[in-house]
């Protein structure tokens, strides 16, 4: 920092970071420079130009990244009283300090500059990764949704509507910065940063008398803020609480420094609620100021589950209003079904109808004065298993709670009459036999079982393991192996899940396969041929009860080549084997998987 007469030349002020801005320094001499000492010298030059030549008192960027990916602190942000002998990352890289990188947008933004001129020069990979890292750090610290957008109030009091939360300098003001080659990388940077961040809270709205207040001026009444219930997209973890805070960003147009010296949005703990809506009385705020309402989801330990969502609005001349009257209106609830005195059994939905002048928070369900569940989403109902109670009279009661804590209830009486459970097993299937036995399948028949209610089906066991079920008293088991012994048994089961004992066991041996293997004829070389150099291995194969799928050549048991069909011609280089005797084998496989083969012997003589 530069001081004059013992005071900061550029006094620090702080505003919750909501926008991230990418720049380049536009100095070609820094293009791709990885030497640390040269880059330090370049940062000192930038400091001198900004602090002395321009008279700003410090570097205008919040951070800088050199060609090697090293990150440098720009605008000094450590608040009063903090020591810097052994600084932490948070003390060095303070996201919320107001810098001077984007005219009109410096309050509430963080600007990072890539050192170099990227009008035509491609951004080095290491430098691009450095930009991603520093932006990920700031976005994570302040919960910025880098793929989102929101309205932003400029220093002159005007609004930039729908400004993206991560931008290139040219998206805010008329400039070529950050250069064409770096600007091309903005979406890639967004995607990379977003991949490291929490999921986004959605559905935030702010209204006054039913009208949207985003980027509007408000003067009297109660502001209502509400948002959607948050559930993590990956883990489905639902937020336990929500943290919200109202920040006064800056005051009247043209006033450079806010009277509040430290306004980091999450520097103060904020307020915790387990609801998805809050109300703020405008009479408690100051006139003619810009405010930002922030909210994010928390887990049961108080750790953030989501990014931060925010709404901007401006106050006019605040009129002191009467304090809001307490809500004393009770919710109204009734049981729609079942009906009073109705006889019920099995699983029954308890359906209710609940209304309130403010809103229903939840409905609780009671059976015989014991709480069995609750529902906080309309329509409010509960699936009750009546079999958990004995037959007879039971009372159903419900309680509705509104957002102000008021409650009311309703109740009815019903009669539970569940049928006696079926515990009787079906009779054992009799006379299990096997027919139509082939090489790969068998058909089973048996005498049907009986049951006190009805037989639902039969379980089929092969070699002691269940392999299927049948609705009638026969079953065909397929895909068996030829010439193999299998043992079978069946049992009967009913709708209640009762299963009989297994039937008699029948053993079956599948038939011998009728498929014949292909016949292979080696045409050349001849038996005990003396060969050298390259020799043609020629063969053909035929199949009497199918077709030849492929043929293969092996030399001394080592596979050489595979060809489709029943003709093989292969030029074998005998120099791959030693002098002397060698065995050539040719195989053929048919369309049913049968393999035939033939062999011949050759002698390599040179």
């Amino acid at each position: 920092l530069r001081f004059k007469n013992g005071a900061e030349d550029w006094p620090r002020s702080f505003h919750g970071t909501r926008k991230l801005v990418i720049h380049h320094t536009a100095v070609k001499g820094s293009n791709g420079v990885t030497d640390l000492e040269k880059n330090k010298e370049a940062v000192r030059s930038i400091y001198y130009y900004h602090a002395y030549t321009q008279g700003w008192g410090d570097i205008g960027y919040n951070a800088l990244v050199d060609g090697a990916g090293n990150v440098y602190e720009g605008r000094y942000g450590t608040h009063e009283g903090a020591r810097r002998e052994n600084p932490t990352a948070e003390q060095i890289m303070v996201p919320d300090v107001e810098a001077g990188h984007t005219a009109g947008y410096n309050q509430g933004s963080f600007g990072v500059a890539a050192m170099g001129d990227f009008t035509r020069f491609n951004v080095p990979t290491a430098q691009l990764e450095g930009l991603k890292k520093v932006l990920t750090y700031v976005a994570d610290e302040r919960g910025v949704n880098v793929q989102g957008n929101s309205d932003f109030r400029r220093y002159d009091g005007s609004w930039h509507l729908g400004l993206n939360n991560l931008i290139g300098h040219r998206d805010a003001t008329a400039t070529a910065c950050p250069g064409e080659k770096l600007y091309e990388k903005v979406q890639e940077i967004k995607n990379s940063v977003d991949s490291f961040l929490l999921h986004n809270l959605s559905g935030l709205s702010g209204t006054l008398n039913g009208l949207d207040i985003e980027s509007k001026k408000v003067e009297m009444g109660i502001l209502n803020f509400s948002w959607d219930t948050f559930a993590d997209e990956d883990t489905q973890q639902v937020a336990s609480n929500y943290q919200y805070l109202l920040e006064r960003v800056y005051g009247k147009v043209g006033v450079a420094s806010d009277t509040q010296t430290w306004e980091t949005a999450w520097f103060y703990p904020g307020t915790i609620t387990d609801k998805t809506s809050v109300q703020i009385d405008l009479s408690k705020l100051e006139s003619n100021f810009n405010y930002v309402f922030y909210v994010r989801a928390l887990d049961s330990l108080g750790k953030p589950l989501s990014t931060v969502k925010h709404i901007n609005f401006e106050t006019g001349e605040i009129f002191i209003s009467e304090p809001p009257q307490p809500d004393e209106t009770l919710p109204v609830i009734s049981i729609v079904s079942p009906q009073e005195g109705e006889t019920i059994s099995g699983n029954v939905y308890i359906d209710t109808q609940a209304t309130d002048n403010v809103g229903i928070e939840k409905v609780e369900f009671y059976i015989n004065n014991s709480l069995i569940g609750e529902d906080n989403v309309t329509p409010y109902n509960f699936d009750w298993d009546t079999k958990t109670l004995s037959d007879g009279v039971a009372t159903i009661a419900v309680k509705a709670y509104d957002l102000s804590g008021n409650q009311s209830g309703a109740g009815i009486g019903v009669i539970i009459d569940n049928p006696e459970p079926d515990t009787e097993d079906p009779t054992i299937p009799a006379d299990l036999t096997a027919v139509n036995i082939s090489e790969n399948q068998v058909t089973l028949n048996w005498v049907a079982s009986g049951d006190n209610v009805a037989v639902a089906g039969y379980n089929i066991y092969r070699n002691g393991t269940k392999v299927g079920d049948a609705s009638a008293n026969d079953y065909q088991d397929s895909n068996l192996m030829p010439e193999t012994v299998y043992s079978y048994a069946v049992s009967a089961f009913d709708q209640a899940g009762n299963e009989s004992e297994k039937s008699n066991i029948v053993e079956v041996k599948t038939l011998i396969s009728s498929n014949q293997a292909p016949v292979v004829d080696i045409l050349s070389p001849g038996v005990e041929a003396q060969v050298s150099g390259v020799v043609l291995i020629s063969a053909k194969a035929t199949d009497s009860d199918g077709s030849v799928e492929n043929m293969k050549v092996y030399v001394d048991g080592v596979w050489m080549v595979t060809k489709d069909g029943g003709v093989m011609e292969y030029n074998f280089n005998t120099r791959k084997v030693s002098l002397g005797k060698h065995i050539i084998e040719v195989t053929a496989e048919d369309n049913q998987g049968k393999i035939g083969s033939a062999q011949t012997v050759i002698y390599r003589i040179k």
Side-chain angles (χ1 to χ4, degrees):
L1 286 175
R2 186 183 181 195
F3 286 78
K4 287 183 179 179
N5 301 320
E8 290 183 29
D9 196 15
W10 182 10
R12 285 161 290 172
S13 62
F14 302 88
H15 314 278
T17 297
R18 304 182 300 285
K19 304 294 178 183
L20 309 176
V21 187
I22 299 173
H23 302 263
H24 70 163
T25 59
V27 178
K28 292 182 179 179
S30 293
N31 287 0
V33 176
T34 59
D35 183 270
L36 183 60
E37 293 306 317
K38 290 183 179 179
N39 285 321
K40 287 180 179 179
E41 183 179 345
V43 172
R44 286 191 289 269
S45 296
I46 292 171
Y47 171 80
Y48 187 88
Y49 177 70
H50 287 186
Y52 288 86
T53 305
Q54 296 292 93
W56 296 345
D58 201 353
I59 292 177
Y61 309 115
N62 293 89
L64 304 96
V65 180
D66 68 19
N70 298 310
V71 179
Y72 303 84
E73 179 186 35
R75 175 71 164 124
Y76 182 89
T78 305
H79 58 284
E80 296 292 341
R83 301 176 65 84
R84 289 288 291 268
E85 284 82 355
N86 296 295
T88 64
E90 290 80 3
Q91 291 172 329
I92 294 175
M93 198 69 64
V94 178
D96 305 300
V97 64
E98 180 184 347
H101 53 87
T102 306
Y105 293 78
N106 293 314
Q107 294 168 323
S109 67
F110 182 95
V112 56
M115 294 169 62
D117 186 334
F118 299 101
T119 304
R120 295 183 178 85
F121 183 72
N122 290 321
V123 186
T125 300
Q127 191 167 24
L128 186 62
E129 291 305 308
L131 286 168
K132 292 176 181 177
K133 288 178 181 178
V134 69
L135 288 168
T136 299
Y137 167 75
V138 178
D140 183 55
E141 282 289 301
R142 291 297 173 258
V144 178
N145 171 14
V146 295
Q147 300 285 18
N149 64 75
S150 66
D151 299 343
F152 190 86
R153 189 173 188 242
R154 303 181 185 92
Y155 182 60
D156 64 3
S158 62
W159 289 92
H160 189 143
L161 303 180
L163 180 64
N164 289 334
N165 294 339
L166 192 157
I167 61 174
H169 186 183
R170 65 174 66 178
D171 295 322
T173 62
T175 176
C177 182
E180 199 63 37
K181 293 297 184 180
L182 179 51
Y183 189 74
E184 291 173 356
K185 298 291 184 180
V186 170
Q187 188 58 52
E188 177 186 334
I189 293 171
K190 283 186 181 183
N191 295 341
S192 175
V193 173
D194 186 57
S195 68
F196 290 97
L197 301 181
L198 298 170
H199 292 300
N200 302 315
L201 189 71
S202 62
L204 176 61
S205 66
T207 60
L208 175 64
N209 299 324
L211 300 177
D212 180 36
I213 66 169
E214 174 74 21
S215 309
K216 305 293 193 308
K217 181 180 287 189
V218 294
E219 295 183 339
M220 182 175 66
I222 304 297
L223 300 179
N224 293 283
F225 296 94
S226 63
W227 52 92
D228 294 341
T229 299
F230 179 82
D232 188 274
E233 296 176 15
D234 297 326
T235 65
Q236 299 304 308
Q237 182 179 3
V238 178
S240 298
N241 292 297
Y242 299 89
Q243 182 182 30
Y244 68 92
L245 179 137
L246 189 65
E247 179 193 14
R248 195 187 75 177
V249 181
Y250 53 85
K252 300 174 179 62
V253 174
V255 178
S257 297
D258 200 332
T259 56
Q260 292 177 267
T261 58
W262 187 258
E263 289 192 323
T264 301
W266 302 111
F267 181 77
Y268 301 112
T271 303
I272 306 297
T273 179
D274 60 356
K275 298 179 174 59
T276 56
S277 62
V278 295
Q279 294 182 328
I280 294 177
D281 186 354
L282 274 170
S283 66
K284 308 299 183 184
L285 308 184
E286 297 182 62
S287 299
N288 301 312
F289 274 88
N290 184 49
Y291 285 87
V292 182
F293 176 87
Y294 302 87
V295 63
R296 65 179 170 187
L298 305 177
D299 65 14
S300 59
L301 300 178
K303 295 181 179 179
L305 271 181
S306 74
T307 57
V308 177
K309 195 78 173 175
H310 65 269
I311 285 180
N312 304 269
F313 65 93
E314 181 183 357
T315 57
E317 294 296 332
I318 297 296
F319 295 90
I320 304 301
S321 61
E322 293 295 326
Q325 296 299 313
D327 172 26
E328 297 179 349
T329 303
L330 300 181
V332 177
I333 186 169
S334 62
I335 298 176
V336 177
S337 68
Q339 301 293 315
E340 172 72 40
E342 183 178 344
T343 299
I344 58 177
S345 63
N347 280 63
V348 174
Y349 262 103
I350 304 173
D351 291 317
T352 69
Q353 186 174 51
T355 58
D356 185 71
N357 63 314
V358 176
I360 297 294
E361 180 182 6
K362 66 177 180 179
V363 172
E364 293 179 339
F365 297 83
Y366 295 81
I367 300 296
N368 294 339
N369 298 320
S370 295
L371 178 66
I372 61 170
E374 64 179 49
D375 193 3
N376 58 7
V377 179
T378 184
Y380 307 101
N381 55 39
F382 186 80
D383 185 9
W384 172 38
D385 183 5
T386 65
K387 296 190 295 295
T388 59
L389 295 181
S390 301
D391 287 355
V393 176
T395 59
I396 301 174
V398 293
K399 288 183 182 179
Y401 296 80
D402 69 12
L403 297 175
S404 302
N406 301 310
Q407 60 176 284
S408 63
I412 61 170
V414 293
I415 300 171
I416 300 174
D417 186 14
N418 283 306
E420 289 294 327
D422 175 17
T423 60
E424 185 175 335
D425 295 340
T427 61
I428 302 172
D431 298 333
L432 175 64
T433 58
V435 297
N436 299 329
I437 301 170
S438 70
E439 62 190 64
N440 54 22
Q441 71 179 28
V442 61
T443 299
L444 303 174
N445 290 320
W446 59 90
V447 176
S449 298
D451 187 66
N452 63 317
V453 179
V455 173
Y458 299 88
N459 293 318
I460 314 301
Y461 295 89
R462 183 207 304 145
N463 297 338
T465 301
K466 182 180 175 181
V467 293
D469 55 64
S471 58
N473 58 326
D474 59 6
Y475 180 81
Q476 187 178 80
D477 194 19
S478 303
N479 298 319
L480 305 178
M481 296 296 295
E483 296 185 80
T484 304
V485 176
Y486 297 96
S487 65
Y488 290 94
V490 297
S491 66
F493 60 89
D494 61 20
Q495 292 287 1
N498 301 307
E499 183 178 5
S500 73
E501 294 183 15
K502 293 177 183 176
S503 69
N504 60 294
I505 295 175
V506 61
E507 286 194 348
V508 177
K509 184 175 183 180
T510 51
L511 302 181
I512 298 173
S513 175
S514 60
N515 180 36
Q516 300 298 313
V519 176
V520 179
D521 183 16
I522 299 178
L523 304 178
S524 68
V527 178
E528 298 187 351
Q530 296 183 354
V531 297
S532 63
V534 177
V535 61
L536 174 65
I537 299 175
S538 175
K540 66 178 181 178
T542 57
D543 190 58
S544 60
D545 56 359
S547 60
V548 177
E549 293 291 301
N550 62 72
M551 298 182 70
K552 298 179 181 179
V553 173
Y554 298 84
V555 176
D556 296 331
V558 178
W559 170 82
M560 294 293 161
V561 66
T562 299
K563 290 189 177 182
D564 293 336
V567 176
M568 169 61 71
E569 289 193 348
Y570 171 60
N571 289 315
F572 172 57
N573 186 353
T574 61
R575 296 184 183 89
K576 294 181 178 180
V577 295
S578 61
L579 296 174
K581 179 181 177 181
H582 298 281
I583 298 174
I584 295 176
E585 181 181 19
V586 180
T587 66
E589 182 178 6
D590 68 13
N591 58 328
Q592 297 184 57
K594 281 285 187 176
I595 297 176
S597 67
Q599 293 183 348
T600 188
V601 175
I602 62 171
Y603 289 88
R604 180 189 167 193
I605 58 175
K606 63 177 180 179

